[in-house]
Every structure is written in structure tokens, then in C-alpha cells.
Amino acid sequence: MHEIIIEPDKSVKHYWRELWQYRGLFYFLTWRDLLVRYKQTVFGIAWSVLRPVLTMLILTVVFGKIAHLPSGGTPYPILVFVAMLPWQFFSSTLTVGGTSIVTHSNMITKIYFPRLIIPTTSMVVSLVDFAISFVLLLVLMIVYGFWPNSKIFVLPLLLILAAMTSLGIGYWVTALNVKYRDFRYIIPFLVQFGLYISPVGFSSALVPDAWRLIYSLNPMVGVIDGFRWALLGNQIVLYIPGFILSIVLSMILFISGIWFFRKTERSFADII
Amino acid sequence: MISDNYIIQVSDLGKKYIIGHQKQAHYHTLRDSMAHWGRGIWQRLRRPLSPNQEKVDLEEFWALKDINFEMPQGERVGIIGPNGAGKSTLLKILSRITEPTTGRVHIRGRVSSLLEVGTGFHPELTGRENIFLNGAILGMTRAEIKRKFDEIVAFAEVEKFLDTPVKRYSSGMYVRLAFAVAAHLEPEILIVDEVLAVGDGQFQKKCLRKMEDVGQEGRTVLFVSHNMPMIASLCDRCILLNNGRICEYDTTKKVIDLYYSKDGIGNGEVDFTRRDRQPGDKSARLLKVRTLNSQGETTTEIRIDEPVTVEMEYELLADNLGVTPEFVFWNAEGVCVFDAQDTPVDPRGELKKEKGLYLARCHIPPDFLNDGTYYIGFLLSKAFKTNWHFNEKDILMLRIVDPLDNIITRGWYSGKIPGVVRPVLQWESVKMSYN
């Protein structure tokens, strides 16, 4: 028989099993977000194509053509586009996910479900954009006659790394945003700022060696470098200590993010 | 004695809120928190042994305290009580939306809670899409929704608009669709909060029937409402909550009678000034309400051919308020009989009132309402606005009795005369011709 015990400060023993039981809701919320996304937009799904292409053009012009930054032998648009894959995935997960609990306050105060579902949904929605961008990248590569080698098969692992980083920061920010609405302002700033301090528009090889490890404290550096390493053939040498640092940081963010979210989620309905 | 035959068992349940933290400040800013920590640390440094001052400043408020009850399987239990008694908090704890501060709840079965209809409805999505979404939010599986889809659509009467975004629905259609999904839930325990107070009368009745079916199928229902007639017709037993505590848990009739009698022992008066909190907001409060017979005595029972006077005393806490007192009468079927406003005195609410105590009185003529039970709500609406300072439903109960000795309205017929009202109208009966 289905039994529920409600007690104060009970650490939910069956948290993960319950999360699994609510997978249907997870599916439907994702489905809804995808459906709603482009309703009443003129260009519809074309926005998923236009956005990355325009961003890529601007970054290429600014960093490649105006600033004349070296690309290490890779065509500049491809160098930029490869980095934009994880970056856009990260930024849209964070932007949508970060405010998601507050946006769904109506549901939070009326219905019980594991709250972790809500910010995680935004990651899956971003994943769809990621897939579209990935197809665009392939087209771009065909245009430039640029072929990735077998390292491309490491890509799924790198995608998991990107997801962990985005969700880790996302969980922290989402939970904090419930109590401190300051994060509503911090998130866009973080995303905008992050675009420039992460090696999206340029190669991280430009960073002086002495600073490289410190630079890798930004976990997205490892993720982006990983993507370039996997997709851009042999021109890219992966800076191993920095990459390992990024992985460790991503894991810490992800685990602590879940911990913090779970710790605070029981009071969401009271303070939202 | 603790029996073993329960489906819900609640023991020593309590819920504490910190007023000033969660109640007043809607949300903090990071700066507030930092300043707060800063002050705290500074005080600690200056006087390390003094009690933490910040903590003393915060007021604790127990929304629920020492709640103990058990519900056997298949029982329909109503929860009634004045506003702020803790009804919604109790439902929220039972549906796991918020955590209790003390105590324990043991539930044996699948719970569905309906604290609002249409939770998660998205205006851009079509009716069809929203049925699936809302079903999933309420805990139905996809297979379950598919199986009941046609039934839900038929119940909501929206067949033609299934592929229209719900933002183009009329509010009636919207509510019907939302309720239709909810009504087709099949949990072992259903928790319902005041959701039936929507939709048109016809649809309300349909929902009521559906709810009754739910109860007859052996499902356990926990139902919060201000609608006493609905509680009376739906629930076997009732819990009366007041100030976060259970006052009574007994058969519905006993509890409802107790509810209406507790303030003046059945004399048709409620004195809010004797309570901890009065209904109202920052600028107006409801103090006293009463029903009076023609002798000026407070009463709960009146002959059909007698006039009755309804009064409310309220206090304005600010100057220059344009307010309109209203009395709303509901009958035992949950139909709003009329909403009387003092517009004859002040048609547009232009009379700006000063701060102070006010009395609003309304005379209801004899031979107007049919015999039966009426529930009276008291409202003070803001002029030019659609909201109010207070809106207290079902505060007083009034029985209109027909002693069967007045032949003016019934002739020699002694059965129940249908109709919401039974006015004595002007008649003319003349003979027109021989053939």
C-alpha cells in the first residue's frame, strides 16, 4: 500500500525514487515548455537557428575580423560556433532555470511534487536548442570542408559535463532566488559577463600560461575547451590541469547544488 | 483510543510562522540579509552574553497547534472555521506543499489535492494540450488521461473548442475544463479546497453530483469550504477549526450548529471584537454583525411574514474612504439569492467617510424570502474598485420559517412551495365575460 509519513525536517529517504515516480510530470512540463516556446512568434522555430547564427557572426566579426585574434588554424566562425554550443546551453539553462521556481510559484503553492523537476526541465529544453545548433555546426563544417575526427565520440561525456555545470549553478541560483529576488538581476549579469570571461569568442590558448590554471576556475573554460578539443581535430591541445580542475569544480557545483536545493525546497511554499 | 482503521492519522500537528519574516516582508533582498547578519555580528561582539536581540524582535505565530484527528476510510470530512483559522494551512500540510513544525501525519493511500482548479494551465496551449498537462500535474499517468479524455471533454462541454488556445475561452469554459480534469481524478484520498465556488449554478450542481459519486465509491474526501449548504450535503462529519486548534470533530449537523452558535449561543450575532483578529485590512475592520427581528432582538429564526434587519458594525482606520457595505444572502442550495448594497444612500460610493465606527443596517421586508436556511456574508467594497476591505462569507445563519398559519402566501396548501423568493405580489382577478 502507498504510505506517506509527513514529519518536520524529515530527510526524504525515498527522494530519488519519488523523483522517478514523477517522471511523467517532468515529461509533460518539458513538452509544455517546448510547445509554448514559439507559439505566437512570427519566425517560430527559426529563432533557434537565427539566434546562434547571428551571435556567431557578431563574435566572429568582433574578435576575428576587428580584433584579429588568432584562431590556431581553424576557421574563425567554426572556432566560435563550437564554443557557442556549450555556452548557449549553459546560459539558457541558467536564465530560464534560475527564475523557474518563482515563475511557477502558482504550482509550488498548490501542488506537491519534487521541486527539482522545475529547474531541470529548463535544461532539457535547452538541450533541444543544443541539438538544433549542433546541426547548424555540421552544416557550417561542410561549408568550410572541415571534418572532425573520432574524438567527436567523447562529445556526449562533455555534454554531461556541461549539463552538470549548468544545473549545479542553476540549482543554487534557483533556490536562492526564491528567498532573495536579487538573483533576478544577478542572472542576466552573470550570463552577459560570463560570455566575455569565458573563451567563447576567442581561444583559451591566448591566456598566458601562468594564468591558465586560475582561468580554469571558471568551470565553463574546461567545458568549452573540451568541446573544441573534441570537434576541431588535432589543432587543439587540451590543457589537462585546467580541464581536470573544471571537472572537479563542476562536480562540486552539481552535488552541492542538489544538496542546497533539497535543503531549501521544503520551505519554498512558505516564503515564495 | 487509537484505532487501527484509519486512512489519515494526524498527531500533535503544529505549524509555526515567524511574522515579520514570512508574513510581512514579501521577499528579502540580499542587502537586507547582509545588513541583518552584520548587525547581529556587531551586537555579538559588543555584548557576547546578551540574548540575541534580533530573535526576540520576531513574533511567532502558530497557524496550527495540537491538531489530532483520525479519518476512517471512505469518510467525507468537511473542515470549517472562520478566516484565518488554519484550514488552508492544514490542507497544505496534508498535501505536502508545506512542512509542519511539529507532529506527524500518517496517510495510507494516494492523495490528490485540489487546492485550485486549473493549476498549471497554460493560456497559449489548446484545451486538448491543457487536459494532458493538468492531468499530469494532478498526478494522473498518461494512460489514465487518455482513457478518460473523452469523458473529461464531455463533462466540460468544450468539444468544439478542443483545439483552441484556452486564452480564448470564456472564463466559464475555462473553469469547466479545469474542473472536469480534476473531477476525473481517482485517488484514494481527495483533498479539496473551496474550488467549487466557481462556475455557473448549473455546472456547480454537476460538480456536486460528481463529488458525491466520488464519496460513494469509497473514496476518502477532505473538503474545506465556506459554503455550509455544500458541506452539509457532502460531508458525513466535520472538523471545526478556530485559531489553529480543533474545536469540534463530530457529525456535520452538530458542528455546523456549533459554528453558528459559538459566539452568541444561537442568538444571531457575531462579535469579532472578542476575537484575536478582526476581518479586514489596514484601513477597515469588521467588528460586529447581527440579525434582528421586528422587536429589535437578535435572532436566528424569523417568521416568513416578519421583517428582518441585518446589521454590521465596522471601523474605518483611515480618513477619506469611499466604501460600500454589502450583505450577501446565500440559500441552502448554494445559490446567491441577492447582494444588497447601500447604493440608495450613496450610489457611487462618493461619500468620503472619516475614520471612526460605523453601523450599516438593511431592512428586509416580510413575505420576501421563501422558507429555508440562509447564510449571510458581509462585505465592505471599495468604491470604484472591484476589491474589498473585507469579504466574510457565511458568517450568520438565518432560518426563515413558515408556521403554515399565514394563508396570504400559501392558501390552504401545506406542502413546500418552490422558489427562492416568495413575495406577496399585487394580483388582479376579474371576471371578463360569461362564456
Side-chain angles (χ1 to χ4, degrees):
Chain A
M1 190 166 61
H2 198 92
E3 279 200 77
I4 305 163
I5 307 249
I6 302 167
E7 273 172 335
D9 300 324
K10 190 177 59 132
S11 63
V12 186
K13 273 186 228 144
H14 313 295
Y15 194 81
W16 301 108
R17 206 180 66 194
E18 199 178 63
L19 214 54
W20 177 246
Q21 281 167 354
Y22 277 88
R23 64 191 184 280
L25 181 63
F26 180 71
Y27 164 81
F28 272 110
L29 286 177
T30 311
W31 170 79
R32 178 195 69 174
D33 285 351
L34 285 173
L35 267 182
V36 166
R37 193 109 182 249
Y38 296 109
K39 287 211 177 189
Q40 276 214 349
T41 57
V42 178
F43 291 106
I45 204 81
W47 280 114
S48 292
V49 176
L50 277 175
R51 228 165 30 135
V53 169
L54 291 176
T55 317
M56 180 271 286
L57 282 175
I58 289 165
L59 290 178
T60 305
V61 168
V62 171
F63 289 103
K65 298 278 181 269
I66 299 175
H68 288 297
L69 293 181
S71 68
T74 320
Y76 217 91
I78 291 183
L79 182 86
V80 168
F81 211 94
V82 167
M84 270 172 47
L85 286 180
W87 177 256
Q88 290 213 324
F89 175 66
F90 169 80
S91 67
S92 70
T93 303
L94 194 62
T95 312
V96 181
T99 52
S100 58
I101 292 286
V102 175
T103 318
H104 291 82
S105 62
N106 191 36
M107 270 175 73
I108 302 283
T109 54
K110 300 293 180 195
I111 296 284
Y112 173 77
F113 57 90
R115 307 325 192 181
L116 205 60
I117 286 178
I118 295 265
T120 313
T121 306
S122 58
M123 188 269 289
V124 181
V125 175
S126 308
L127 207 55
V128 173
D129 276 346
F130 179 87
I132 294 172
S133 291
F134 191 73
V135 173
L136 288 176
L137 175 70
L138 293 182
V139 172
L140 201 66
M141 283 181 154
I142 290 168
V143 169
Y144 278 90
F146 191 94
W147 296 107
N149 59 20
S150 58
K151 284 189 290 186
I152 196 172
F153 294 108
V154 188
L155 205 62
L157 290 178
L158 290 165
L159 187 58
I160 291 173
L161 185 66
M164 280 189 359
T165 313
S166 324
L167 286 178
I169 298 177
Y171 292 150
W172 271 100
V173 167
T174 314
L176 284 167
N177 189 41
V178 175
K179 197 165 180 185
Y180 307 104
R181 298 293 156 85
D182 302 68
F183 283 87
R184 188 166 47 176
Y185 307 110
I186 294 176
I187 298 164
F189 175 72
L190 203 67
V191 167
Q192 204 176 26
F193 191 65
L195 176 66
Y196 296 104
I197 61 164
S198 304
V200 183
F202 51 88
S203 161
S204 58
L206 291 176
V207 176
D209 281 347
W211 292 95
R212 206 104 189 244
L213 198 63
I214 292 174
Y215 188 58
S216 299
L217 280 172
N218 169 1
M220 283 310 286
V221 170
V223 175
I224 291 171
D225 283 355
F227 266 71
R228 285 200 174 125
W229 172 81
L231 288 168
L232 297 184
N234 294 326
Q235 281 110 326
I236 304 290
V237 184
L238 193 61
Y239 175 64
I240 299 294
F243 187 65
I244 290 170
L245 181 63
S246 287
I247 292 177
V248 171
L249 280 174
S250 296
M251 300 245 254
I252 291 174
L253 276 173
F254 184 64
I255 293 165
S256 68
I258 292 178
W259 166 81
F260 183 71
F261 192 90
R262 279 194 46 193
K263 195 167 89 82
T264 47
E265 74 173 333
R266 57 173 76 114
S267 63
F268 280 175
D270 292 334
I271 57 177
I272 205 160
Chain B
M1 217 19 237
I2 287 173
S3 66
D4 229 17
N5 182 32
Y6 59 83
I7 191 159
I8 298 179
Q9 184 192 46
V10 176
S11 27
D12 299 320
L13 198 71
K15 173 79 182 175
K16 183 175 72 179
Y17 285 103
I18 310 286
I19 299 181
H21 246 277
Q22 282 114 334
K23 285 265 162 167
Q24 285 165 7
H26 203 63
Y27 60 82
H28 310 259
T29 64
L30 203 54
R31 202 192 56 168
D32 289 345
S33 268
M34 283 175 175
H36 184 96
W37 295 332
R39 267 202 307 277
I41 291 165
W42 175 238
Q43 255 159 19
R44 258 308 85 117
L45 289 173
R46 280 206 314 183
R47 266 174 271 143
L49 293 175
S50 71
N52 195 335
Q53 256 181 340
E54 294 287 345
K55 266 192 188 129
V56 177
D57 285 343
L58 300 169
E59 194 194 335
E60 287 183 357
F61 167 68
W62 286 88
L64 285 178
K65 205 158 169 37
D66 306 325
I67 302 291
N68 288 284
F69 68 91
E70 278 179 10
M71 275 176 69
Q73 207 211 312
E75 195 168 67
R76 287 171 292 173
V77 172
I79 302 178
I80 59 174
N83 285 353
K87 301 182 298 276
S88 297
T89 309
L90 180 57
L91 288 201
K92 279 191 176 170
I93 290 173
L94 293 178
S95 26
R96 292 203 286 168
I97 290 161
T98 177
E99 281 203 341
T101 314
T102 63
R104 184 172 185 271
V105 181
H106 185 190
I107 300 174
R108 294 167 166 170
R110 269 184 59 188
V111 182
S112 274
S113 47
L114 265 184
L115 302 196
E116 179 190 66
V117 288
T119 306
F121 258 42
H122 200 290
E124 297 285 349
L125 298 183
T126 66
R128 184 192 305 278
E129 289 160 348
N130 269 311
I131 290 177
F132 277 94
L133 180 67
N134 190 232
I137 286 172
L138 294 176
M140 286 196 240
T141 63
R142 195 137 60 118
E144 238 179 304
I145 305 169
K146 268 192 184 149
R147 190 155 41 90
K148 293 189 186 148
F149 187 81
D150 293 334
E151 220 181 306
I152 292 173
V153 174
F155 190 90
E157 305 159 24
V158 292
E159 291 91 341
K160 272 187 252 162
F161 306 98
L162 261 187
D163 294 305
T164 310
V166 296
K167 65 177 176 186
R168 306 216 195 289
Y169 278 30
S170 72
S171 56
M173 281 161 64
Y174 185 93
V175 165
R176 285 209 303 272
L177 183 67
F179 196 90
V181 182
H184 288 81
L185 284 170
E186 281 181 350
E188 280 140 335
I189 302 155
L190 184 64
I191 296 179
V192 187
D193 188 6
E194 202 83 78
V195 287
L196 286 165
V198 288
D200 56 86
Q202 203 64 27
F203 189 70
Q204 264 188 31
K205 283 212 186 98
K206 201 165 151 184
C207 293
L208 210 62
R209 271 201 305 277
K210 185 80 194 169
M211 297 277 299
E212 276 168 0
D213 292 349
V214 167
Q216 260 134 36
E217 282 160 23
R219 224 158 289 153
T220 312
V221 183
L222 203 62
F223 184 40
V224 163
S225 180
H226 276 109
N227 190 331
M228 293 301 156
M230 205 172 272
I231 291 263
S233 71
L234 270 179
C235 302
D236 312 308
R237 296 210 290 161
C238 258
I239 293 173
L240 174 60
L241 276 182
N242 195 16
N243 287 328
R245 287 177 169 79
I246 292 186
C247 298
E248 192 62 62
Y249 182 23
D250 209 324
T251 57
T252 302
K253 197 187 167 318
K254 272 192 197 160
V255 176
I256 290 184
D257 283 352
L258 180 75
Y259 176 47
Y260 281 107
S261 65
K262 70 179 182 298
D263 282 279
I265 320 296
N267 67 356
E269 182 177 39
V270 176
D271 185 352
F272 291 102
T273 56
R274 280 193 270 146
R275 294 191 187 171
D276 297 347
R277 287 189 291 172
Q278 287 89 35
D281 56 14
K282 271 185 223 141
S283 37
R285 292 187 302 167
L286 180 59
L287 303 180
K288 285 179 193 170
V289 297
R290 62 182 84 88
T291 44
L292 304 161
N293 63 14
S294 50
Q295 278 82 50
E297 299 156 344
T298 54
T299 182
T300 54
E301 203 170 278
I302 214 104
R303 281 173 57 104
I304 193 162
D305 55 355
E306 259 192 292
V308 61
T309 303
V310 192
E311 288 186 350
M312 74 162 111
E313 285 179 28
Y314 60 94
E315 184 179 7
L316 296 184
L317 305 163
D319 283 325
N320 275 327
L321 289 177
V323 294
T324 309
E326 295 177 34
F327 302 102
V328 191
F329 274 63
W330 297 78
N331 71 6
E333 282 77 45
V335 174
C336 179
V337 181
F338 64 84
D339 173 352
Q341 315 189 357
D342 86 336
T343 42
V345 176
D346 180 17
R348 296 180 179 206
E350 280 161 343
L351 282 177
K352 294 282 177 256
K353 294 186 173 104
E354 316 257 279
K355 184 188 286 190
L357 298 175
Y358 288 84
L359 172 71
R361 183 181 282 156
C362 175
H363 302 283
I364 293 156
D367 294 313
F368 167 52
L369 293 169
N370 202 349
D371 58 334
T373 307
Y374 295 85
Y375 301 92
I376 312 169
F378 296 82
L379 208 150
L380 193 69
S381 57
K382 298 181 181 173
F384 306 115
K385 286 176 193 140
T386 48
N387 56 359
W388 48 72
H389 295 291
F390 53 79
N391 180 8
E392 295 295 295
K393 295 169 189 162
D394 302 311
I395 298 288
L396 289 179
M397 180 178 70
L398 179 69
R399 282 205 188 91
I400 308 271
V401 294
D402 183 353
L404 300 180
D405 57 6
N406 184 342
I407 62 166
I408 292 172
T409 53
R410 61 164 55 243
W412 296 109
Y413 172 67
S414 61
K416 169 82 187 163
I417 293 175
V420 176
V421 292
R422 204 205 289 172
V424 177
L425 302 172
Q426 214 178 350
W427 280 77
E428 275 157 44
S429 275
V430 291
K431 188 175 182 185
M432 289 175 71
S433 79
Y434 274 113
N435 301 316

